[in-house]
Amino acid sequence: MSISVKGITKFYGKQKALDNVSFEISSGEIFGFLGPNGAGKSTMMKIITGFIPPSSGDILVNGLDILEKSLEVRKQIGYLPENNPLYLDMYVREYLYFVARLYKLSPKQAKARTDEMIIKTGLTVEQKKKIGALSKGYRQRVGLAQALIHDPSVLILDEPTSGLDPNQIVEIRNLIAEVGKQKTVLLSTHLMQEVEAICNRVIIINNGKIVADNSKEDLQKQTSASNRQTIIVEFNTTVSREDLIKIKGVSKVQGLKQFNWLIEGNTNEDIRPEVFQFAVKQGLTVLSMQKKEMSLEQVFQELTK
Ligand code: ADP
Ligand code: MG
């Protein structure tokens, strides 16, 4: 287990930002931490990285307690904080070398890692510019490069794509997916598509509490609305609603555009065979028939409302 979070609670004064949060992340996973603004994502990440202490609870990173072995843990974590704070007056290469030295890499190692990270994050052309002169997408690359500079096994990325344009988002996601092959990545986001695009697993947090913890597929099955089978059928001609509702196992029928129907079953049993038999008996042709899966977007809304 790379990260093991046990019963973390965090108070800011009287406000409870995290309420008894527990989860585990195994190595090699890209783990999505999904929740609306104010849910407690950044707070959790600041605690894991040792920036602020929890009010109660324990966290182990690679088996080490983050409070007892704080320095040791920090060597194993790369952190890209929310809004990517950077020294805008430093040059890209100078800044990365500086961060490497902060992590106590020798001058020689620091230079080698700086070179490596510049190539890996696609900063070769920009390496001699001041960070303040870079576009937001390139600043984000610098943020990723500094998080990776000491070759940590765990990467914590707080909303790494927020504020980027669509092209930059795709570039940064690809970069994360690439580095995530060898590392454990915990990534926070309030965007569903981000989770669908790059994460293997996701937990959803709302008001400081975990509301769902599962792989993406399981999550879709978990919610009540998706416990019932829903299909969309297209016939070649008009069909009466009265006939459709009589099909065995069908609880609800809704007409869509021409000859298309949304048919809901009353259990999670597949109703497609019955609907198909019905069509055969009535002499109808089925032009198409597919199961309707709930999107992660709907799952998220259902769980956080
Ligand atoms: P998220 O990253 O999911 O948007 P945060 O962890 O930043 O959520 O915030 C969770 C809650 O804690 C919010 O209600 C926020 O206002 C509050 N909060 C965060 N940081 C502080 C702080 N330093 N002092 C007081 N309240 C804070
Ligand atoms: Mg945040």
Side-chain angles (χ1 to χ4, degrees), residues 76-298:
Q76 302 184 20
I77 293 182
Y79 178 35
L80 176 57
E82 195 170 23
N83 304 322
N84 190 13
L86 293 167
Y87 292 117
L88 301 184
D89 280 328
M90 286 180 96
Y91 295 91
V92 172
R93 154 169 284 288
E94 177 194 28
Y95 172 69
L96 292 176
Y97 181 82
F98 167 72
V99 176
R101 294 287 288 144
L102 284 183
Y103 279 106
K104 297 219 158 60
L105 271 60
S106 71
K108 204 176 152 209
Q109 279 178 318
K111 186 181 175 303
R113 286 296 294 173
T114 300
D115 287 338
E116 225 179 292
M117 285 309 104
I118 283 174
I119 293 169
K120 187 162 210 154
T121 56
L123 283 165
T124 307
V125 178
E126 312 281 336
Q127 60 178 306
K128 297 200 171 128
K129 286 190 187 167
K130 273 194 179 178
I131 293 172
L134 301 182
S135 71
K136 195 141 195 254
Y138 276 89
R139 285 187 201 187
Q140 214 62 3
R141 288 170 190 254
V142 176
L144 271 176
Q146 68 76 27
L148 288 163
I149 198 94
H150 54 302
D151 198 19
S153 62
V154 174
L155 260 190
I156 309 249
L157 310 174
D158 198 352
E159 308 222 15
T161 61
S162 89
L164 300 181
D165 74 33
N167 289 334
Q168 295 169 332
I169 288 178
V170 172
E171 286 165 18
I172 295 295
R173 279 185 193 156
N174 288 344
L175 202 52
I176 294 169
E178 180 60 34
V179 298
K181 284 181 193 156
Q182 291 105 30
K183 304 197 184 291
T184 303
V185 180
L186 171 60
L187 166 151
S188 75
T189 177
H190 60 275
L191 301 172
M192 246 6 262
Q193 311 92 289
E194 193 130 281
V195 166
E196 298 203 77
I198 48 178
C199 301
N200 316 115
R201 246 183 85 202
V202 56
I203 62 172
I204 301 182
I205 180 170
N206 192 35
N207 288 326
K209 283 200 179 85
I210 303 259
V211 289
D213 176 356
N214 239 318
S215 71
K216 285 181 278 186
E217 294 75 21
D218 287 351
L219 214 53
Q220 284 164 326
K221 288 187 199 129
Q222 217 180 62
T223 48
S224 59
S226 59
N227 279 341
R228 270 168 277 134
Q229 272 277 337
T230 306
I231 62 169
I232 295 169
V233 192
E234 182 181 5
F235 297 108
N236 64 331
T237 180
T238 329
V239 186
S240 86
R241 175 189 299 271
E242 289 69 41
D243 288 344
L244 286 170
I245 196 85
K246 280 188 221 138
I247 299 174
K248 192 169 152 242
V250 168
S251 66
K252 209 172 121 189
V253 172
Q254 186 194 337
L256 304 173
K257 62 178 199 263
Q258 206 191 14
F259 309 152
N260 281 262
W261 295 88
L262 187 85
I263 303 180
E264 199 177 290
N266 45 23
T267 63
N268 63 1
E269 245 357 71
D270 196 345
I271 52 175
R272 287 175 301 178
E274 292 291 341
V275 173
F276 189 78
Q277 286 305 321
F278 161 84
V280 171
K281 272 188 216 140
Q282 303 264 327
L284 300 164
T285 305
V286 175
L287 296 178
S288 73
M289 175 149 75
Q290 75 253 27
K291 270 206 248 183
K292 189 167 174 283
E293 301 283 354
M294 216 180 171
S295 73
L296 272 177
E297 198 91 32
Q298 291 166 294

Side-chain angles (χ1 to χ4, degrees), residues 12-83:
Y12 290 115
K14 282 186 185 149
Q15 189 194 348
K16 206 189 242 183
L18 291 173
D19 186 1
N20 195 21
V21 172
S22 302
F23 58 90
E24 307 230 308
I25 307 177
S26 9
S27 29
E29 272 185 323
I30 299 187
F31 191 93
F33 202 41
L34 179 67
N37 290 326
K41 303 180 296 296
S42 296
T43 300
M44 189 73 238
M45 292 182 145
K46 285 179 200 161
I47 293 173
I48 297 174
T49 50
F51 274 66
I52 55 172
S55 304
S56 60
D58 295 296
I59 299 179
L60 300 179
V61 174
N62 294 335
L64 302 171
D65 186 288
I66 57 154
L67 296 177
E68 283 169 22
K69 300 268 188 248
S70 177
L71 274 182
E72 206 36 57
V73 167
R74 285 170 210 222
K75 284 184 193 161
Q76 302 184 20
I77 293 182
Y79 178 35
L80 176 57
E82 195 170 23
N83 304 322

